[in-house]
Amino acid sequence: MTMNPEASPRVATQLDERATEIYAHLFQALADPTRLAVLQHLSYGEHRVRDLVEHVGLAQSTVSKHVAFLLECGLVTLRPEGRSSWYALAEPDATAGLVDAAEALLRATGTRATLCAHLRRPRPVTDVAVAG
């Protein structure tokens, strides 16, 4: 059976390998349940690793590795204060947008899930006629 090249969709002949790797690294950061839990806790505000250890219930070394990965990806920031290190979301609005997009994609594929209700971006208000 011979395929008609005009009938098949056009496929890009070259992919941007660097961009593909960068995206994969970002999605890898979001693919781990512990890292998602850390991001959820950081969405409430700054935390130290010891605070995150209490929240997620894992060893300090494990939490530190996950936080380091998120820091490497640029998803979190570090603010030293004395002997403590405070971590926060690097881009809360962009993270909220990503959570919104993920929720929309999940809904479109038949799954309803909310990761962080407080992180959701406000929905635009539509004009509603007021009866008077």
Side-chain angles (χ1 to χ4, degrees):
M1 171 183 224
T2 305
M3 289 188 63
N4 180 354
E6 293 177 21
S8 64
R10 293 191 80 159
V11 178
T13 56
Q14 289 231 288
L15 297 177
D16 185 334
E17 291 181 24
R18 183 171 183 279
T20 301
E21 288 178 20
I22 291 169
Y23 273 73
H25 194 64
L26 171 66
F27 290 130
Q28 183 181 10
L30 301 171
D32 185 277
T34 299
R35 288 193 285 271
L36 285 175
V38 167
L39 290 174
Q40 288 178 76
H41 287 293
L42 293 178
S43 70
Y44 287 102
E46 288 184 317
H47 284 69
R48 298 168 296 177
V49 168
R50 65 187 269 179
D51 302 325
L52 294 168
V53 166
E54 291 176 21
H55 292 310
V56 299
L58 296 172
Q60 183 270 332
S61 60
T62 302
V63 173
S64 290
K65 287 178 187 175
H66 287 295
V67 169
F69 193 95
L70 294 169
L71 190 61
E72 174 192 322
C73 290
L75 294 174
V76 301
T77 60
L78 166 66
R79 182 180 63 82
E81 183 180 281
R83 293 177 51 144
S84 296
S85 296
W86 292 86
Y87 296 91
L89 293 179
E91 297 291 335
D93 289 340
T95 301
L98 183 59
V99 168
D100 281 347
E103 286 180 11
L105 184 57
L106 287 169
R107 276 193 309 276
T109 59
T111 303
R112 293 187 85 65
T114 301
L115 186 64
C116 289
H118 68 280
L119 245 188
R120 297 177 74 203
R121 293 177 133 180
R123 302 285 182 236
V125 177
T126 57
D127 293 331
V128 178
V130 179

